Amino acid sequence: MATLLLIEDDPLVRRGFQLALSRHGHDVRTADSGEEGLREFHSARPDLVVLDLMLPGIDGFQVCRRIRAVGDVPVIMLTAMGDDFDVVGGLAAGADDYVVKPAQPSVLDARIRAVLRRSAGHDGVRVHRDLHIDTTALTVSLHGRPVPLSPTELRLLLTLSRAPGRVFSRQLLLEEVWEHDYLGDSRLVDNCVQRLRAKIEDVPAAPEYIQTVRGFGYRFGPV
Amino acid sequence: MTKRARAVPSRQRTRELRRTLWPRGLRARLLVAFVLVTVLGAAAAAWSSAGSASTALVTSTQARLAETIAGQIGAITPELTYPPDQESLDRLRAAVGPNTLVTYQNLRSVSGDGTELITDAVRTEVRGGNRLVTQRIVAEGTPWLLVGTPVVITQPDGDSAPSGIEVYAVHDLTDVEQQIEGFTRSAAGTAALALPPAVLLALVAARSVLRPVREVRDTARRLAAGDLDARSPPRGADELAELTVTINEMAESVQTSMAAMQRMQADARRFAADVSHELRTPLSTLTAVVEVLAATADEMAADSRESAQLAITETHRLVRLVEDLMEVSRFDAGSARLHSEEVDVVGAVRDCLRVRDWLNRVELVAPEEIRLRLDRRRLDVIVANLVGNALRHGTPPVRVRVLTSHEQVWIEVTDSGPGIPQRVLPYVFDRFYKADAARTRTPGSGLGLAIALENARLHGGELTADNIDGGGARFVLRLPVSISAP
């Protein structure tokens, strides 16, 4: 039973999704604007935010950035566009996943559960030079200082570091980390890698831990 | 077809022949015509004056000669005995000049140089009449004037009577001929002198005519190349200026109607995009609630359950239609982007079939792996469309073959049905084309093949439809190995 916050300005869409997601067993709180959504976010402390991009007042990009600024609650964006520009903008604002309207609630529910599962534990501590990954406590520290990671970033790092030196294709990472059954958007992977590098690499432009294998995917491990 | 193809070379040959005989280009033609007219005019004038001058020269030479002979005969005749004897004839000849001959019946004086040239025609003329006869001949390349005259005796009673004495003279006309040649040369010279100024004038005239023509041509070229702002400034008030003005007006009206057309097209496209965009919000609500309906359908009465089922089916179809419309709008607006990554084409095709539960209904013939940079989602859209069509409209077995060369990758989808009717083939990729008005409605949006074709072209590839021998439709997607977006 997860608490969701649905921020959507159209009342009928909002009610429709509330009905459908409730049937999937979630506790769904709603808000009809960005400002209202941010207030509700601080009072209800949801496990996950479902956020419409096109909002009156402060738009979905802004709301996403503010949510990211105060913590690592996962965000799934609902975009009525499907146009590439909006998707990229949404990912750059720090969304963990996105669903294009009109979305089927069952699909949205699958994505929600996948994001929430990313906090699942492993065991042991992996040490790579100055990067310590505690797979039990799910904490990461660099040079002895803790690095706060979102569930998606953590899951990506855990997946890559499980087999250092192995090349993971974007498609495989989408299936492993995002649990997209098929044909996800590989930009989700690229975007998340960039965010992860910004947090754990000393020089993100010359990465030490997460290497790009051009035209294929990513590989973990100091070379 | 073949007949026309055979006729073309001969027509071309004729045209080429004409080209070699008559200069190409307006400038060359104007030049040739102008120079021809000028030089011919000058030559004609010079020739005619040279002609009349030489005629006058010959006439005056003849007159002078005849006069001299007549004078000398007149001076010596009174001293001669009549009828003359040999001596008289010789004296008469000596008096008249060196190149002469005098005859009387059968007597002949000592003949001077060249008198053997005297023709029978002259003799006959002289004998038959009582006047001076002249004839011009050319002997061994030298022109001669032959003069013959009967000597007339004036009786004491004043009557004139032929005496039977005939005087013949020959005169070398070389000097006169040379003078005439001089005239001719100067005439040719005059004509030649006219040539350079004629060429210059022709060039100037041609330039003044051709500059506006060239400007109009350049403007027309720019218009043809799509630069509808091209105009030529009209100069003067002649036909060329009128032509320029006409071309400018034409460009203006083309530009106006093009702008109007583009505006209308843009409006229509924006409208389609806006409509599909606006439809998404109510569709989102519908999509959300029909799922709730579906989950609770089992508890409903039969008619409510069926209504719920219909609502669900139609909502999903509407969603498909709107998604396809959005996709088409993106192609129309030119905002469709490729997200290329390295993909195993065979794996992608297999995934496409697997996800839709088609693996057991479709025969896949493909090599182990083909790596290619492409947009995975768009490839999936194309393959799903082609295979979905074959399964819906064709007859099993449906076969998908993946082939490769060093330049291209082919994905071929065939079925074993009757194939696509010939009259339908040209339109299969058209939007909303319905092959048969009475056809049972299918779950497709009517945009599937149009979108598949656009996706193929976005990859720099091509999508074609035809029928295989022995029936069955065949769709072939060709993708270049090195994708260069068009």
Side-chain angles (χ1 to χ4, degrees):
Chain A
M1 174 92 164
T3 304
L4 308 181
L5 170 59
L6 171 65
I7 309 176
E8 159 69 59
D9 59 326
D10 187 280
L12 298 180
V13 175
R14 199 168 57 238
R15 183 68 187 135
F17 271 104
Q18 191 175 20
L19 284 169
L21 289 172
S22 299
R23 284 198 65 88
H24 282 283
H26 302 290
D27 172 20
V28 185
R29 309 290 174 87
T30 60
D32 60 3
S33 72
E35 292 86 344
E36 173 69 23
L38 286 168
R39 270 195 299 276
E40 189 68 23
F41 175 78
H42 289 297
S43 62
R45 304 226 157 244
D47 300 308
L48 183 141
V49 179
V50 178
L51 174 63
D52 184 36
L53 261 186
M54 300 293 287
L55 292 170
I58 58 169
D59 63 13
F61 301 114
Q62 297 272 11
V63 175
C64 187
R65 279 191 206 98
R66 293 195 197 182
I67 289 174
R68 274 276 161 276
V70 296
D72 285 323
V73 174
V75 174
I76 295 180
M77 283 195 167
L78 274 180
T79 156
M81 299 284 197
D83 284 350
D84 296 344
F85 169 79
D86 302 281
V87 170
V88 172
L91 295 177
D96 293 85
D97 205 343
Y98 74 95
V99 175
V100 179
K101 279 189 193 174
Q104 292 183 33
S106 53
V107 171
L108 181 56
D109 174 59
R111 298 282 172 88
I112 289 167
R113 287 174 194 276
V115 171
L116 294 175
R117 264 197 300 274
R118 287 171 208 171
S119 314
H122 303 257
D123 52 347
V125 178
R126 300 175 192 159
V127 180
H128 307 275
R129 288 198 194 165
D130 305 319
L131 187 70
H132 291 230
I133 305 170
D134 184 334
T135 59
T136 313
L138 294 176
T139 55
V140 175
S141 60
L142 182 69
H143 305 298
R145 282 188 300 277
V147 179
L149 293 182
S150 77
T152 308
E153 290 158 6
L154 182 67
R155 180 73 174 265
L156 179 65
L157 182 59
L158 288 172
T159 305
L160 285 168
S161 63
R162 198 176 59 213
R166 179 183 156 191
V167 179
F168 289 84
S169 72
R170 291 176 175 80
Q171 200 62 37
L172 185 66
L173 289 170
L174 275 169
E175 288 166 23
E176 293 254 334
V177 178
W178 280 263
E179 298 183 39
H180 281 202
D181 48 355
Y182 174 66
L183 265 197
D185 191 329
S186 55
R187 286 169 302 175
L188 277 167
V189 182
D190 297 340
N191 204 274
C192 193
V193 166
Q194 279 170 18
R195 293 204 302 259
L196 193 51
R197 277 177 180 162
K199 291 181 180 180
I200 65 167
E201 299 282 1
D202 295 323
V203 186
E208 194 181 346
Y209 300 107
I210 302 177
Q211 317 283 339
T212 304
V213 181
R214 191 163 293 287
F216 193 75
Y218 296 100
R219 180 183 60 205
F220 184 87
V223 258
Chain B
M1 266 319 268
T2 49
K3 251 189 223 167
R4 255 179 51 198
R6 263 207 304 276
V8 167
S10 74
R11 256 218 307 276
Q12 266 178 345
R13 256 206 305 281
T14 323
R15 221 177 289 139
E16 268 162 30
L17 198 68
R18 212 178 301 147
R19 267 188 212 144
T20 50
L21 290 178
W22 184 240
R24 292 172 61 190
L26 210 48
R27 184 203 189 93
R29 286 187 204 180
L30 278 171
L31 204 67
V32 167
F34 200 95
V35 168
L36 273 179
V37 168
T38 313
V39 172
L40 284 177
W47 277 120
S48 75
S49 64
S52 51
S54 43
T55 311
L57 191 65
V58 171
T59 314
S60 67
T61 307
Q62 278 181 6
R64 212 179 48 243
L65 198 60
E67 209 176 307
T68 309
I69 292 171
Q72 276 158 345
I73 293 173
I76 195 80
T77 314
E79 300 169 18
L80 295 180
T81 53
Y82 188 82
D85 52 8
Q86 182 69 40
E87 195 218 352
S88 307
L89 290 186
D90 286 344
R91 274 181 62 206
L92 182 55
R93 192 205 68 83
V96 174
N99 306 336
T100 52
L101 168 72
V102 181
T103 63
Y104 173 71
Q105 289 168 0
N106 293 331
L107 285 178
R108 292 170 67 92
S109 69
V110 177
S111 52
D113 289 341
T115 48
E116 71 282 354
L117 294 171
I118 291 166
T119 57
D120 291 343
V122 175
R123 288 178 203 274
T124 319
E125 281 273 336
V126 171
R127 222 155 272 165
N130 53 358
R131 51 182 196 83
L132 188 129
V133 175
T134 60
Q135 187 189 12
R136 266 198 288 169
I137 59 160
V138 177
E140 292 162 14
T142 312
W144 296 91
L145 181 67
L146 313 181
V147 182
T149 179
V151 175
V152 178
I153 288 195
T154 311
Q155 306 285 6
D157 56 12
D159 277 353
S160 302
S163 60
I165 302 171
E166 297 157 9
V167 179
Y168 298 95
V170 294
H171 183 83
D172 188 348
L173 281 177
T174 306
D175 289 354
V176 176
E177 200 76 8
Q178 272 169 352
Q179 272 178 299
I180 289 172
E181 268 171 31
F183 288 144
T184 314
R185 264 201 302 278
S186 77
T190 309
L193 275 179
L195 187 65
V199 170
L200 270 174
L201 279 171
L203 281 174
V204 170
R207 235 186 90 185
S208 72
V209 170
L210 288 181
R211 195 185 318 125
V213 171
R214 276 213 190 92
E215 277 177 6
V216 166
R217 180 201 62 194
D218 290 345
T219 305
R221 269 193 193 152
R222 281 172 55 198
L223 287 170
D227 174 11
L228 294 179
D229 290 325
R231 301 284 184 278
S232 324
R235 289 201 188 82
D238 55 3
E239 289 84 345
L240 282 170
E242 278 174 31
L243 175 67
T244 309
V245 169
T246 310
I247 294 224
N248 286 348
E249 283 169 355
M250 182 190 81
E252 196 74 44
S253 75
V254 167
Q255 194 174 24
T256 311
S257 44
M258 279 293 285
M261 224 165 70
Q262 279 165 344
R263 227 187 358 263
M264 275 161 56
Q265 202 173 29
D267 286 350
R269 284 176 177 174
R270 203 172 311 118
F271 182 74
D274 290 348
V275 165
S276 30
H277 203 102
E278 288 302 319
L279 284 171
R280 294 189 147 205
T281 307
L283 274 178
S284 292
T285 313
L286 279 174
T287 310
V289 297
V290 293
E291 210 176 87
V292 178
L293 281 181
T296 55
D298 296 342
E299 303 146 28
M300 297 178 186
D303 57 347
S304 305
R305 187 165 56 237
E306 197 183 346
S307 301
Q309 297 291 5
L310 285 174
I312 294 162
T313 310
E314 286 299 76
T315 302
H316 288 170
R317 205 164 72 154
L318 207 50
V319 169
R320 274 276 314 275
L321 177 59
V322 169
E323 277 173 354
D324 284 354
L325 272 174
M326 290 290 289
E327 189 79 353
V328 164
S329 299
R330 274 195 287 271
F331 282 121
D332 284 349
S335 62
R337 296 275 170 274
L338 269 187
H339 298 290
S340 298
E341 50 188 322
E342 187 155 316
V343 170
D344 165 24
V345 179
V346 179
V349 171
R350 192 175 286 112
D351 282 345
C352 170
L353 300 176
R354 178 176 51 81
V355 166
R356 293 169 179 82
D357 281 334
W358 287 342
L359 274 176
N360 51 359
R361 299 173 63 193
V362 173
E363 184 190 349
L364 177 61
V365 182
E368 196 66 31
E369 181 185 67
I370 300 171
R371 300 210 71 83
L372 190 63
R373 277 193 71 77
L374 49 75
D375 187 321
R376 196 186 164 96
R377 185 187 70 82
R378 294 188 188 279
L379 176 70
D380 182 78
V381 167
I382 299 172
V383 175
N385 246 298
L386 299 183
V387 175
N389 268 332
L391 291 172
R392 264 199 306 275
H393 305 299
T395 312
V398 171
R399 177 182 295 171
V400 179
R401 287 170 65 207
V402 187
L403 309 150
T404 179
S405 74
H406 60 284
E407 281 177 358
Q408 282 187 324
V409 173
W410 288 272
I411 299 178
E412 186 186 73
V413 179
T414 53
D415 70 64
S416 314
I420 305 166
Q422 280 302 323
R423 64 184 172 80
V424 174
L425 259 181
Y427 309 107
V428 287
F429 294 106
D430 288 5
R431 298 172 185 182
F432 298 120
Y433 181 74
K434 295 283 188 283
D436 184 358
R439 198 182 66 179
T440 50
R441 295 206 303 168
T442 54
S445 66
L447 291 168
L449 281 175
I451 290 173
L453 177 64
E454 293 276 15
N455 275 320
R457 287 184 177 160
L458 200 62
H459 282 91
E462 194 48 64
L463 181 59
T464 53
D466 63 350
N467 291 311
I468 38 180
D469 300 337
R474 171 173 56 189
F475 286 84
V476 184
L477 168 69
R478 292 180 187 79
L479 293 174
V481 165
S482 57
I483 287 179
S484 51

Coordinates of all heavy atoms in Angstrom, one line a residue, chain A residues 91-141:
Chain A
L91 N 12.9 14.5 -18.3 CA 14.0 13.6 -17.8 C 15.1 14.5 -17.2 O 15.6 14.2 -16.2 CB 14.5 12.7 -18.9 CG 13.5 11.7 -19.4 CD1 14.2 10.9 -20.5 CD2 13.1 10.8 -18.3
A92 N 15.3 15.6 -17.9 CA 16.4 16.5 -17.4 C 16.0 17.1 -16.0 O 16.9 17.4 -15.2 CB 16.7 17.6 -18.4
A93 N 14.7 17.3 -15.8 CA 14.3 17.8 -14.5 C 14.4 16.8 -13.4 O 14.2 17.1 -12.3 CB 12.8 18.3 -14.7
G94 N 14.7 15.6 -13.8 CA 15.0 14.6 -12.8 C 13.9 13.5 -12.6 O 13.9 12.8 -11.5
A95 N 13.0 13.3 -13.6 CA 12.0 12.3 -13.5 C 12.6 10.9 -13.6 O 13.6 10.7 -14.2 CB 10.9 12.5 -14.6
D96 N 12.0 9.9 -12.8 CA 12.5 8.6 -12.9 C 12.0 7.8 -14.1 O 12.6 6.9 -14.5 CB 12.2 7.8 -11.6 CG 12.9 8.4 -10.4 OD1 12.4 9.4 -9.8 OD2 14.0 7.9 -10.1
D97 N 10.8 8.2 -14.5 CA 10.2 7.5 -15.6 C 9.1 8.4 -16.2 O 8.8 9.4 -15.5 CB 9.6 6.1 -15.1 CG 9.5 5.1 -16.3 OD1 9.5 5.5 -17.4 OD2 9.3 3.9 -16.0
Y98 N 8.6 8.0 -17.3 CA 7.4 8.8 -17.8 C 6.5 8.0 -18.6 O 6.9 6.9 -19.1 CB 8.0 10.0 -18.7 CG 8.4 9.6 -20.0 CD1 7.6 9.6 -21.1 CD2 9.7 9.1 -20.2 CE1 8.0 9.2 -22.4 CE2 10.2 8.7 -21.5 CZ 9.3 8.8 -22.5 OH 9.7 8.4 -23.8
V99 N 5.2 8.4 -18.6 CA 4.2 7.7 -19.3 C 3.4 8.7 -20.2 O 3.1 9.8 -19.7 CB 3.2 7.0 -18.3 CG1 2.0 6.4 -19.0 CG2 3.9 6.0 -17.5
V100 N 3.2 8.3 -21.4 CA 2.5 9.2 -22.3 C 1.0 9.0 -22.3 O 0.5 7.9 -22.3 CB 3.0 9.0 -23.8 CG1 2.3 9.9 -24.8 CG2 4.5 9.1 -23.9
K101 N 0.3 10.1 -22.2 CA -1.1 10.1 -22.2 C -1.6 9.8 -23.6 O -1.0 10.2 -24.5 CB -1.7 11.5 -21.8 CG -1.7 11.8 -20.3 CD -2.5 13.1 -20.2 CE -2.3 13.8 -18.8 NZ -3.0 15.1 -18.9
P102 N -2.8 9.1 -23.8 CA -3.6 8.6 -22.7 C -3.0 7.3 -22.2 O -2.8 6.4 -23.0 CB -4.9 8.3 -23.4 CG -4.6 8.3 -24.9 CD -3.3 9.0 -25.1
A103 N -2.7 7.2 -20.9 CA -2.0 6.0 -20.4 C -3.0 5.1 -19.8 O -4.0 5.5 -19.2 CB -1.0 6.5 -19.3
Q104 N -2.7 3.8 -19.9 CA -3.6 2.8 -19.3 C -3.2 2.7 -17.8 O -2.0 2.6 -17.6 CB -3.5 1.4 -20.0 CG -4.1 1.5 -21.4 CD -4.0 0.1 -22.0 OE1 -4.1 -0.9 -21.3 NE2 -3.8 0.0 -23.3
P105 N -4.1 2.7 -16.9 CA -3.8 2.7 -15.5 C -2.9 1.4 -15.2 O -2.0 1.5 -14.3 CB -5.1 2.6 -14.8 CG -6.0 3.3 -15.7 CD -5.6 2.9 -17.1
S106 N -3.2 0.3 -15.9 CA -2.4 -0.9 -15.5 C -0.9 -0.7 -15.9 O -0.1 -1.2 -15.2 CB -3.0 -2.1 -16.3 OG -3.0 -1.8 -17.7
V107 N -0.7 0.0 -17.0 CA 0.7 0.3 -17.4 C 1.3 1.2 -16.3 O 2.4 1.0 -15.9 CB 0.8 1.0 -18.8 CG1 2.2 1.5 -19.1 CG2 0.3 0.0 -19.8
L108 N 0.6 2.3 -16.0 CA 1.1 3.2 -15.0 C 1.4 2.5 -13.7 O 2.4 2.8 -13.1 CB 0.1 4.4 -14.8 CG 0.4 5.5 -13.8 CD1 1.8 6.1 -14.2 CD2 -0.7 6.5 -13.8
D109 N 0.5 1.6 -13.3 CA 0.7 0.9 -12.0 C 1.9 0.0 -12.1 O 2.7 0.0 -11.1 CB -0.5 0.0 -11.8 CG -0.4 -0.9 -10.6 OD1 -0.1 -0.3 -9.5 OD2 -0.4 -2.1 -10.7
A110 N 2.2 -0.6 -13.3 CA 3.4 -1.4 -13.4 C 4.6 -0.6 -13.2 O 5.6 -1.0 -12.6 CB 3.4 -2.1 -14.8
R111 N 4.6 0.6 -13.8 CA 5.8 1.5 -13.7 C 6.0 2.0 -12.2 O 7.1 2.0 -11.8 CB 5.6 2.8 -14.6 CG 5.4 2.4 -16.1 CD 6.8 2.2 -16.7 NE 6.6 1.7 -18.1 CZ 6.6 2.5 -19.1 NH1 6.6 3.8 -18.9 NH2 6.4 2.0 -20.3
I112 N 4.8 2.3 -11.6 CA 4.9 2.7 -10.2 C 5.6 1.6 -9.3 O 6.5 1.9 -8.6 CB 3.5 3.0 -9.6 CG1 3.0 4.3 -10.3 CG2 3.5 3.2 -8.1 CD1 1.5 4.6 -10.1
R113 N 5.1 0.4 -9.5 CA 5.6 -0.7 -8.7 C 7.1 -1.0 -9.0 O 7.9 -1.3 -8.1 CB 4.8 -2.0 -8.9 CG 3.5 -1.9 -8.3 CD 2.6 -3.1 -8.6 NE 1.2 -2.8 -8.2 CZ 0.7 -2.9 -7.0 NH1 1.5 -3.4 -6.0 NH2 -0.5 -2.6 -6.7
A114 N 7.5 -0.8 -10.3 CA 8.9 -1.0 -10.7 C 9.8 0.0 -10.0 O 10.8 -0.3 -9.4 CB 9.0 -0.9 -12.2
V115 N 9.3 1.3 -10.0 CA 10.1 2.3 -9.3 C 10.2 2.0 -7.8 O 11.3 2.1 -7.2 CB 9.5 3.7 -9.5 CG1 10.2 4.7 -8.7 CG2 9.6 4.1 -11.0
L116 N 9.1 1.6 -7.2 CA 9.1 1.4 -5.8 C 10.0 0.2 -5.4 O 10.6 0.2 -4.3 CB 7.7 1.2 -5.2 CG 6.8 2.4 -5.3 CD1 5.4 2.1 -4.9 CD2 7.4 3.6 -4.4
R117 N 10.1 -0.8 -6.3 CA 10.9 -2.0 -6.1 C 12.4 -1.7 -6.1 O 13.2 -2.5 -5.7 CB 10.6 -3.1 -7.1 CG 9.6 -4.1 -6.6 CD 9.7 -5.3 -7.5 NE 9.3 -5.0 -8.9 CZ 8.1 -4.9 -9.4 NH1 7.1 -5.2 -8.6 NH2 7.9 -4.6 -10.7
R118 N 12.8 -0.5 -6.7 CA 14.2 -0.3 -6.8 C 14.9 -0.1 -5.5 O 16.1 0.0 -5.4 CB 14.4 1.0 -7.7 CG 14.1 0.6 -9.1 CD 14.1 1.8 -10.0 NE 13.1 1.6 -11.1 CZ 12.8 2.5 -12.0 NH1 13.2 3.7 -11.9 NH2 11.9 2.1 -13.0
S119 N 14.1 0.1 -4.4 CA 14.7 0.2 -3.1 C 15.0 -1.1 -2.4 O 15.3 -1.2 -1.3 CB 13.8 1.1 -2.2 OG 13.4 2.2 -2.9
A120 N 14.8 -2.2 -3.2 CA 15.0 -3.6 -2.6 C 16.4 -3.8 -2.3 O 17.3 -3.3 -3.0 CB 14.5 -4.6 -3.6
G121 N 16.7 -4.6 -1.2 CA 18.1 -4.7 -0.7 C 18.8 -5.9 -1.3 O 18.3 -6.8 -1.9
H122 N 20.2 -5.8 -1.2 CA 21.1 -6.9 -1.5 C 21.9 -7.1 -0.3 O 21.4 -6.8 0.8 CB 22.0 -6.5 -2.7 CG 21.2 -6.1 -3.9 ND1 21.0 -6.9 -5.0 CD2 20.5 -5.0 -4.2 CE1 20.3 -6.3 -5.9 NE2 19.9 -5.1 -5.4
D123 N 23.1 -7.6 -0.4 CA 23.9 -7.7 0.8 C 25.4 -7.5 0.5 O 25.8 -7.8 -0.6 CB 23.7 -9.1 1.5 CG 23.9 -10.2 0.5 OD1 24.0 -9.9 -0.7 OD2 24.0 -11.4 0.9
G124 N 26.1 -7.0 1.5 CA 27.5 -6.8 1.3 C 27.9 -5.4 0.9 O 27.0 -4.5 0.6
V125 N 29.2 -5.1 0.9 CA 29.7 -3.8 0.6 C 30.6 -4.0 -0.6 O 31.5 -4.9 -0.6 CB 30.4 -3.2 1.7 CG1 31.0 -1.8 1.3 CG2 29.5 -3.0 2.9
R126 N 30.4 -3.2 -1.7 CA 31.3 -3.3 -2.8 C 32.2 -2.1 -2.8 O 31.7 -0.9 -2.6 CB 30.5 -3.3 -4.1 CG 29.6 -4.5 -4.2 CD 28.8 -4.4 -5.5 NE 27.7 -5.4 -5.4 CZ 26.6 -5.3 -6.2 NH1 26.4 -4.2 -6.9 NH2 25.6 -6.2 -6.1
V127 N 33.5 -2.3 -2.9 CA 34.4 -1.2 -2.8 C 35.1 -1.1 -4.2 O 35.7 -2.0 -4.7 CB 35.5 -1.4 -1.7 CG1 36.4 -0.2 -1.7 CG2 34.8 -1.6 -0.4
H128 N 35.0 0.1 -4.8 CA 35.7 0.4 -6.0 C 36.5 1.7 -5.8 O 35.9 2.7 -5.8 CB 34.8 0.5 -7.2 CG 33.8 -0.7 -7.3 ND1 34.1 -1.8 -8.0 CD2 32.6 -0.8 -6.8 CE1 33.1 -2.7 -7.9 NE2 32.2 -2.1 -7.2
R129 N 37.8 1.5 -5.6 CA 38.6 2.7 -5.3 C 38.0 3.5 -4.2 O 37.9 3.0 -3.1 CB 38.8 3.6 -6.5 CG 39.7 2.9 -7.5 CD 40.3 3.9 -8.5 NE 40.9 3.2 -9.6 CZ 41.2 3.7 -10.8 NH1 40.9 5.0 -11.0 NH2 41.7 3.0 -11.7
D130 N 37.6 4.8 -4.5 CA 37.0 5.6 -3.4 C 35.5 5.5 -3.3 O 34.9 6.2 -2.5 CB 37.4 7.1 -3.7 CG 38.9 7.2 -3.9 OD1 39.6 6.6 -3.1 OD2 39.3 8.0 -4.8
L131 N 34.9 4.6 -4.0 CA 33.5 4.5 -4.0 C 33.0 3.2 -3.2 O 33.4 2.1 -3.6 CB 32.9 4.4 -5.5 CG 31.4 4.5 -5.7 CD1 30.9 5.9 -5.4 CD2 31.1 4.1 -7.1
H132 N 32.3 3.5 -2.2 CA 31.8 2.4 -1.4 C 30.3 2.2 -1.5 O 29.6 3.2 -1.4 CB 32.1 2.6 0.1 CG 33.5 2.6 0.4 ND1 34.1 1.8 1.5 CD2 34.6 3.2 -0.1 CE1 35.4 1.9 1.5 NE2 35.7 2.8 0.6
I133 N 29.9 1.0 -2.0 CA 28.4 0.8 -2.1 C 28.0 -0.3 -1.1 O 28.4 -1.5 -1.2 CB 28.1 0.3 -3.6 CG1 28.7 1.2 -4.6 CG2 26.6 0.1 -3.8 CD1 28.7 0.7 -6.0
D134 N 27.2 0.1 -0.2 CA 26.7 -0.8 0.8 C 25.3 -1.3 0.3 O 24.3 -0.6 0.4 CB 26.5 -0.1 2.2 CG 26.1 -1.1 3.3 OD1 25.4 -2.1 3.0 OD2 26.4 -0.8 4.5
T135 N 25.3 -2.6 -0.1 CA 24.1 -3.1 -0.8 C 23.0 -3.6 0.2 O 21.9 -3.9 -0.1 CB 24.4 -4.3 -1.7 OG1 25.0 -5.3 -1.0 CG2 25.3 -3.8 -2.8
T136 N 23.4 -3.6 1.5 CA 22.4 -3.9 2.6 C 21.7 -2.7 3.0 O 20.5 -2.6 3.0 CB 23.1 -4.6 3.7 OG1 24.0 -5.6 3.2 CG2 22.0 -5.3 4.6
A137 N 22.5 -1.7 3.5 CA 21.9 -0.5 4.0 C 21.5 0.5 2.8 O 20.8 1.5 3.0 CB 23.0 0.3 4.8
L138 N 21.9 0.1 1.6 CA 21.6 0.9 0.4 C 22.1 2.3 0.5 O 21.3 3.3 0.3 CB 20.0 0.9 0.1 CG 19.5 -0.5 -0.3 CD1 18.0 -0.4 -0.4 CD2 20.1 -1.0 -1.5
T139 N 23.3 2.4 0.9 CA 24.0 3.7 1.0 C 25.2 3.7 0.1 O 25.8 2.6 -0.1 CB 24.4 4.1 2.4 OG1 25.2 3.0 2.9 CG2 23.2 4.3 3.3
V140 N 25.6 4.8 -0.4 CA 26.8 5.0 -1.2 C 27.6 6.1 -0.6 O 27.0 7.2 -0.2 CB 26.4 5.3 -2.7 CG1 27.6 5.6 -3.5 CG2 25.6 4.2 -3.3
S141 N 28.9 5.9 -0.5 CA 29.7 7.0 -0.1 C 31.0 7.1 -1.0 O 31.5 6.2 -1.5 CB 30.2 6.8 1.4 OG 30.9 5.6 1.5

